[in-house]
Structures are given as structure tokens and as C-alpha cells.
Amino acid sequence: MRETMPQTALFPSMLGSECSGQVPVDMRERSVDLIFQDGSLVSGSLEALIERLVPTLDYYPDRTYIFTFLLTTRIFIHPSELLARVGQICLKQKQQLEMGPEMDKVKLKLFSAKIVQLLREWTETFPCDFEDRVARKELKEIVWKICHCDEGNSTIKKSLNHMMESLDEALSTRDQHKEVRGKITPGLSEKGTLLKVKSQSTHKDILSVCSDALVFAQQLTHIELEKIRNIQPEDVIHLCIQTGNIPNHKCCDSKKTQNVEAYENWFNQLSTLVATEICRVVKKKQRTRIVEFFIDVARECFNIGNFNSLMAIISGMNLSPVARLKKTWSKVKTAKFDILEHYMDPSSNFCNYRTALQGAAQRSRTAHTNCEKIVIPVYSLFVKDIYFLNKMHSDTLPNGHINFKKYWEISRQISDFMIWRAVECPFEISKRIQNYLLTAPIYTEEALYIASFESEGPENHREKDSLKTLRAMLNRA
């Protein structure tokens, strides 16, 4: 039945200025409690917004509205409760069709097909809404009621069966990701053991694993895309819920942000790995080579569109234990590094980075190859933008309506992220390099400082005192 109800693509920068819910004629009659501005929905009561989600015989909601509504209204109502409300409206409409002068089976089948399509879009886009036992029970009840009135319609039955199978598969895949994430142990934080002798013979450095900056950047991109694929759109919304706008809300579950936290931990792990690889090298010449190697890797990340790894590398090189290595930096050709730092300059709300990101996004929209489609934003800044967009604009208006204009913008930004996260990485995989990146030992902050001081001795009394204190701490540990 999808052919009879054409829809816009799910995430094609779908929430631009022309977006958001142009109103069909029949919806104007239903939307007495919805407010529109220049043909776009800007606010409405929760009840009216839910009603607008549910298809009728003559109406099917725009896909942009379905995505935005299902993504953001969990701030106001738990998905299982929403599903129950949708089921009630569906049942009421079906009963009205059945109670007509002559029950029209063709109309019933058309209505059923629209409800099935809505449920399919919901389960495909937000499968985790159905991890909840109550929501899954409610879904089965709606499905049963639809099948019950269309026992002779094999097309609808097949569509329903396919929906349930796809949902089970999506939830199973999600569970597998959780198990894998639990088994992967990041690089251990080293304290004193490697620092006493700093023997390079017992522990290989990064250049012995990979000396090609482009290949290294490509493997970082593989890891980045793999990790962001685990982040669902609702994971980001739960960060908004946790800001405290809605105390004791039923959706406030710390488990919902685990994927986000895992990705943020990866950024910190990569930054610390960069600092560790630089600080633990005894010889200045080799240390200089490693610094220049990471600069080249960062530049390749920029060219690819992998801004998150780029920022992590620059952050690692700007950590104090690395930045203080003046003798090393004096031997480094820093022109390329200065350019990269310019792009990541935090002034004017990271204006330079945002310009570069827009350029990469434009390249992605017109790309013909997956290489050109890659856009991996700095995730901490992406989340920060969503956070402040949520904080700066009220959830509801003085008349009690939900401020839906706010949620169009949040949804637009998240939908862009979902497009980028869906790109298949085209580069050849090197398990050896990836394994090193994910499991190589990294130093604690204290160990980094000691390694830095042992590479280039303290320059003043403050640094000498710091080294003495740190050694005492490590000896006691």
C-alpha cells in the first residue's frame, strides 16, 4: 500500500524552511486547536497534535511531521501512553466506518493500510520505543484489531508480519551492540609501571602500527561511524529531558543516554591516547615525528569530514603535558597545525568550525560517492547546540500549547545527524590499527605529567614541586 501513499524521504534535510506540515484541506477542519503560521504548524495542544498524527480515510500525515512528533513529544508523554492514545483514536475511527449505512470493506482496508503504514514508520524509526513491555503489548493489540477486521486481506497481514519481524530484528541488533560495548575494554590507564624505565622495546609506538596518516585517519573514521550508528535520535532527546525541565518525567532513564556517553568516552580516550603516544617517547627526534604524524592525521580527518576525530587529536596535543614540551615543538613544522587550530578555534561560538561543517554538509548533499558523503560533526558541540536550543525556548506557550516551532528546529538538526550517521564507510578496514586505537594503554593525567617531565625536565620551581608531588602520589598508589 506504500505506493498509494507517497511520502517524502525520511531524512533528506527534510525540515527546511518549506517544511513542517503544510495543512491538507481535511486537516484544517480537524485542527481547531492547532496554530499555523505561513502554512506551517507552530503550536498546538497535545491532544490536537496526537490527532494530527493519526491517519483518516482521506488523510495521511507528512513524514516530516511523523518524525518530529514521535521524536520530541516523548518529552510530554511516554511512548507507550502515546501508542495507547493512538490506538483509541484508530479504534474509534474504525467503529465509525463500521457503523455507516453500508459497511464499505474497501474503505476499511484502505484505513487499515494507513494505520499499518504509520505503525511501520514508527517501529522502523524508533524501534526502542517498543522495548517497553507495555508499549509492545499495546502495539500487538492494535495489530490484532486491524488483522481481525481484515482477515481476508493478505497484503495487510504480510505487511504486519514484516513489521513485527523487522522490529524484533532491530531490537535484537540493539541488544547485541550493548553486549559488544560491555565486552570491549578501552585502553587501560597506566600509572607508574611504564614510566620507571620507559623502555620502547616492551611496548610498540603508534608509528610501528601505522605510519600512513591517511590510512590512520580512515580507520578513525571507521570507528567514529560505527559508534555513532549506535546513537538513536531519541538518545539525544533524552539529554533534553534530563536537563530538569520536566521533573520526575517517566522518560527520564539514564540507560537511554548510554550510547551518547560511550561516544563521549571515545573522544576522551582518543585525546588521551594522542597525549600518551607523544609523552611516553624518550627520544626527542622520535617524539617530534609522532607529533608531526598526528598533525598529518588531523589534516586527513579534516579532508575526510571527520571533525570529531580532528577535534580529539587537537585536544590531545593541547593538553598541558604535551603543550609544555617546548623543545619538541621547536622542531615541529607547525604551519599545518596552526591552520587546523584555526578551524577549531572556539571564539565566536566556533564560527570557523561551523563554516567548515556547512561546507562538508553541502558537499555531502551533492556527493556521488560515499567518500564525499562523510560528515562527522564534533559531537560535544552538536549536543551542546541541541541542549541550548532546548533551554532557550520554552516547551509550552502561555495558552498551554506545545511550542512545536521549537521542536521543528531540534528535529531538523537531529535529522541531519541521522543522515550523516547512515553513510557507509568506504575505506578498507584494518583490524590491526583499529584494535590498537581501541585497546592501547593510555596514561592517567598524573602519569602524563610525569612522562612529560621525564621527557623534558621541569623548567621552574613550580614544575619541580609538581613532579615531586606526583611521584609521591604514584608511590603511595
Side-chain angles (χ1 to χ4, degrees):
M1 293 303 297
R2 284 180 179 266
E3 293 77 5
T4 65
M5 292 173 278
Q7 291 291 305
T8 55
L10 187 54
F11 298 120
S13 260
M14 58 189 187
L15 301 174
S17 58
E18 75 286 353
C19 83
S20 322
Q22 297 297 322
V23 194
V25 174
D26 68 305
M27 274 306 297
R28 295 178 195 275
E29 298 173 358
R30 299 173 68 202
S31 305
V32 294
D33 206 13
L34 297 175
I35 303 298
F36 295 85
Q37 192 175 74
D38 299 325
S40 294
L41 175 63
V42 293
S43 72
S45 67
L46 180 59
E47 291 74 18
L49 292 169
I50 293 174
E51 187 174 336
R52 188 166 189 257
L53 176 71
V54 181
T56 68
L57 195 59
D58 304 311
Y59 160 78
Y60 192 83
D62 185 84
R63 210 167 187 188
T64 61
Y65 178 77
I66 294 173
F67 175 72
T68 300
F69 180 85
L70 293 177
L71 173 65
T72 58
T73 51
R74 65 191 64 238
I75 292 176
F76 301 94
I77 182 171
H78 193 279
S80 61
E81 296 176 22
L82 173 61
L83 188 61
R85 298 272 285 275
V86 168
Q88 292 168 4
I89 297 173
C90 291
L91 183 59
K92 183 178 179 181
Q93 289 193 50
K94 184 173 82 97
Q95 289 171 344
Q96 289 174 347
L97 288 172
E98 291 174 334
M99 291 170 60
E102 292 184 8
M103 188 173 73
D104 191 330
K105 291 186 177 181
V106 174
K107 289 183 178 180
L108 277 172
K109 288 179 180 179
L110 177 59
F111 173 72
S112 297
K114 288 185 174 184
I115 300 304
V116 170
Q117 180 178 348
L118 176 66
L119 294 175
R120 282 188 63 177
E121 293 195 29
W122 191 341
T123 56
E124 288 172 0
T125 311
F126 301 103
C128 292
D129 285 355
F130 302 91
E131 286 181 321
D132 183 283
R133 180 180 58 81
V134 177
R136 199 160 177 80
K137 179 183 176 183
E138 193 67 44
L139 175 65
K140 289 180 178 179
E141 286 183 1
I142 296 174
V143 166
W144 181 85
K145 290 169 184 175
I146 292 173
C147 283
H148 186 67
C149 73
D150 287 294
E151 291 180 351
N153 194 329
S154 60
T155 302
I156 290 180
K157 278 191 173 182
K158 287 180 181 178
S159 183
L160 286 168
N161 289 335
H162 181 266
M163 177 187 75
M164 298 305 293
E165 290 172 1
S166 298
L167 176 59
D168 289 338
E169 183 178 347
L171 292 176
S172 175
T173 300
R174 179 92 163 178
D175 289 340
Q176 289 173 7
H177 284 156
K178 289 179 182 177
E179 291 178 9
V180 170
R181 188 180 65 222
K183 291 178 181 177
I184 293 177
T185 303
L188 299 175
S189 293
E190 300 280 351
K191 286 201 172 181
T193 53
L194 286 177
L195 298 173
K196 293 177 180 177
V197 180
K198 297 181 69 175
S199 171
Q200 290 179 296
S201 61
T202 59
H203 187 72
K204 55 189 175 184
D205 64 37
I206 198 77
L207 293 177
S208 67
V209 177
C210 178
S211 59
D212 188 319
L214 175 58
V215 172
F216 198 85
Q218 290 173 345
Q219 300 312 305
L220 285 171
T221 303
H222 266 295
I223 294 172
E224 295 278 356
L225 287 172
E226 180 65 28
K227 288 183 177 294
I228 63 175
R229 282 194 193 97
N230 293 333
I231 298 175
Q232 305 301 320
E234 63 268 29
D235 293 336
V236 182
I237 285 296
H238 278 285
L239 294 176
C240 297
I241 295 173
Q242 289 188 333
T243 60
N245 289 353
I246 308 169
N248 302 318
H249 190 274
K250 292 182 180 179
C251 285
C252 291
D253 182 353
S254 62
K255 294 180 180 179
K256 300 294 184 181
T257 60
Q258 285 180 350
N259 290 319
V260 173
E261 291 168 1
Y263 191 43
E264 291 171 345
N265 290 340
W266 155 248
F267 180 96
N268 296 330
Q269 182 182 341
L270 178 56
S271 293
T272 309
L273 175 63
V274 169
T276 299
E277 291 292 335
I278 295 170
C279 288
R280 71 182 184 83
V281 175
V282 176
K283 295 181 180 179
K284 181 173 63 177
K285 184 176 181 181
Q286 179 68 357
R287 201 162 51 244
T288 302
R289 284 186 60 204
I290 292 176
V291 170
E292 291 182 337
F293 172 74
F294 278 121
I295 292 173
D296 289 338
V297 171
R299 183 180 61 173
E300 295 296 349
C301 286
F302 178 87
N303 293 336
I304 289 171
N306 180 359
F307 297 105
N308 200 61
S309 288
L310 165 63
M311 180 66 93
I313 293 170
I314 290 178
S315 297
M317 298 175 80
N318 280 327
L319 289 175
S320 295
V322 179
R324 66 165 298 279
L325 298 173
K326 295 179 181 179
K327 294 178 183 178
T328 302
W329 282 102
S330 68
K331 300 296 182 180
V332 173
K333 299 175 183 178
T334 59
K336 290 182 287 187
F337 186 66
D338 293 341
I339 292 172
L340 295 172
E341 280 201 307
H342 171 76
Y343 280 113
M344 296 293 112
D345 186 348
S347 61
S348 301
N349 194 21
F350 290 89
C351 177
N352 297 332
Y353 157 71
R354 294 180 189 281
T355 300
L357 180 66
Q358 288 175 0
Q362 178 60 36
R363 180 186 68 181
S364 180
R365 283 192 289 271
T366 59
H368 299 291
T369 67
N370 281 346
C371 290
E372 297 172 317
K373 290 180 181 179
I374 295 172
V375 182
I376 304 173
V378 177
Y379 191 72
S380 61
L381 294 180
F382 167 71
V383 171
K384 177 184 173 184
D385 288 346
I386 299 296
Y387 173 83
F388 280 107
L389 185 58
N390 181 59
K391 292 288 285 184
M392 288 171 59
H393 301 280
S394 61
D395 293 323
T396 56
L397 302 177
N399 65 355
H401 278 195
I402 291 174
N403 182 9
F404 212 70
K405 187 175 182 180
K406 161 184 170 177
Y407 295 115
W408 281 127
E409 180 57 27
I410 289 176
S411 180
R412 182 191 65 78
Q413 294 195 25
I414 293 177
S415 71
D416 285 343
F417 181 76
M418 291 300 107
I419 296 172
W420 301 332
R421 128 196 200 281
V423 173
E424 289 295 327
C425 193
F427 309 125
E428 184 177 348
I429 294 175
S430 170
K431 291 293 185 183
R432 178 169 174 263
I433 299 173
Q434 288 191 27
N435 183 64
Y436 188 89
L437 282 165
L438 293 169
T439 64
I442 55 177
Y443 287 172
T444 62
E445 182 180 1
E446 296 84 0
L448 280 173
Y449 271 109
I450 291 182
S452 177
F453 287 137
E454 290 189 351
S455 294
E456 294 186 18
E459 294 186 344
N460 50 51
H461 290 297
R462 181 180 58 82
E463 288 191 345
K464 289 178 181 178
D465 290 342
S466 295
L467 177 58
K468 184 177 180 180
T469 302
L470 289 168
R471 280 179 169 160
M473 287 172 57
L474 288 175
N475 289 333
R476 288 196 302 267

